[in-house]
Amino acid sequence: MQKAGLLLRPCARTWKSVRMASSAVARRNPLENKVALVTASTDGIGFAIARRLAQDGAHVVVSSRKQKNVDRAVAMLHGEGLSVMGTVCHVGKGEDRERLVATAVNLHGGVDILVSNAAVMPFFGNLMDVTEEVWDKILDINVKATALITKAVVPEMEKRGGGSVVIVASVGAYRPFPLWDDQETLESLKATMQIKRIGKPEDCAGIVSFLCSEDASYITGETVVVAGGMPSRL
């Protein structure tokens, strides 16, 4: 048994070296020269995703409804040496969606990646109290605008032989949860999770980059839950 152990140790060291080398290769710009559009990407999850895509080699176009937010995000990411530009885009407006796509095409010649992160949630409370105006806003931004911006980028992706579309949604689609505006509610929510902490924007960024990379070329039509083990099945 002792001899067997001695024989296994060099193998283990070799395997560790192979894994480390493989990981280094995988991390080296997996999205090199890809062109990515990320909506609502000047703060929070959208900003973290835009940063990660750019860190992984993509040319990223960020967007927001307000120019000052776009300018701030672009300046921050330029300060990190990343290839990022930005434009104002209210996804509910057709002319803004067209300008977002045109910006990427004019700057970089096309579009390879769309991350649809823009969404609204104007009401928290009992479903029976939701007004028609609230339903219209949710469906207009979260559903219709997402479909239309996807429609706008697909022809550009086809010119380049394909692309990736990632739509960011909420785990609330599976399991409604309360606002955690007090410590007691926060601790109660964390208790339902396998990973006992609230997620950070960066927790969502890596999986999006992976889904847009060649490593995920045989993954399509899937829902990937990033929710710390929170119950998330219908």
Side-chain angles (χ1 to χ4, degrees):
M1 293 299 293
Q2 185 178 9
K3 187 178 293 186
L6 291 172
L7 288 172
L8 285 172
R9 286 191 197 108
C11 293
R13 284 197 298 270
T14 301
W15 175 239
K16 183 178 180 180
S17 299
V18 169
R19 283 190 302 161
M20 290 176 66
S22 177
S23 298
V25 170
R27 286 196 300 270
R28 190 178 300 126
N29 295 337
L31 303 179
E32 187 170 13
N33 292 325
K34 299 289 187 181
V35 181
L37 301 178
V38 187
T39 64
S41 49
T42 60
D43 194 12
I45 291 174
F47 182 78
I49 290 171
R51 171 186 271 156
R52 178 58 183 268
L53 298 183
Q55 288 173 341
D56 287 347
H59 304 293
V60 179
V61 180
V62 301
S63 64
S64 173
R65 291 178 296 172
K66 297 181 179 180
Q67 185 68 54
K68 65 178 182 179
N69 295 339
V70 172
D71 294 341
R72 184 184 68 247
V74 170
M76 288 178 64
L77 297 176
H78 276 178
E80 299 175 14
L82 301 175
S83 177
V84 176
M85 296 299 289
T87 185
V88 169
C89 180
H90 185 312
V91 295
K93 298 180 179 180
E95 62 271 25
D96 281 18
R97 295 191 299 266
E98 292 173 6
R99 182 173 59 250
L100 179 62
V101 177
T103 298
V105 173
N106 293 336
L107 286 173
H108 303 296
V111 181
D112 303 290
I113 296 166
L114 168 65
V115 181
S116 178
N117 178 63
V120 295
M121 188 57 245
F123 178 85
F124 287 88
N126 192 304
L127 185 65
M128 299 303 294
D129 296 328
V130 180
T131 65
E132 183 174 358
E133 181 183 22
V134 168
W135 277 116
D136 287 343
K137 188 170 185 178
I138 291 172
L139 293 172
D140 187 53
I141 301 300
N142 298 8
V143 180
K144 186 176 78 172
T146 298
L148 291 177
I149 197 168
T150 301
K151 181 180 178 181
V153 300
V154 165
E156 298 299 333
M157 291 178 174
E158 288 177 335
K159 294 175 185 177
R160 295 162 75 91
S164 301
V165 176
V166 178
I167 300 171
V168 180
S170 170
V171 72
Y174 291 107
R175 182 175 183 269
F177 53 87
L179 296 169
W180 52 83
D181 52 3
D182 63 85
Q183 192 63 31
E184 183 179 355
T185 302
L186 176 62
E187 294 303 323
S188 176
L189 179 63
K190 285 161 62 176
T192 69
M193 306 168 73
Q194 296 298 318
I195 300 176
K196 305 299 183 183
R197 66 174 176 83
I198 299 298
K200 300 175 293 185
E202 290 76 16
D203 291 323
C204 301
I207 187 63
V208 174
S209 181
F210 164 72
L211 290 172
C212 296
S213 73
E214 291 302 315
D215 287 336
S217 62
Y218 202 59
I219 297 175
T220 189
E222 298 289 349
T223 300
V224 180
V225 179
V226 184
M230 180 183 292
S232 53
R233 296 291 182 271
L234 293 177

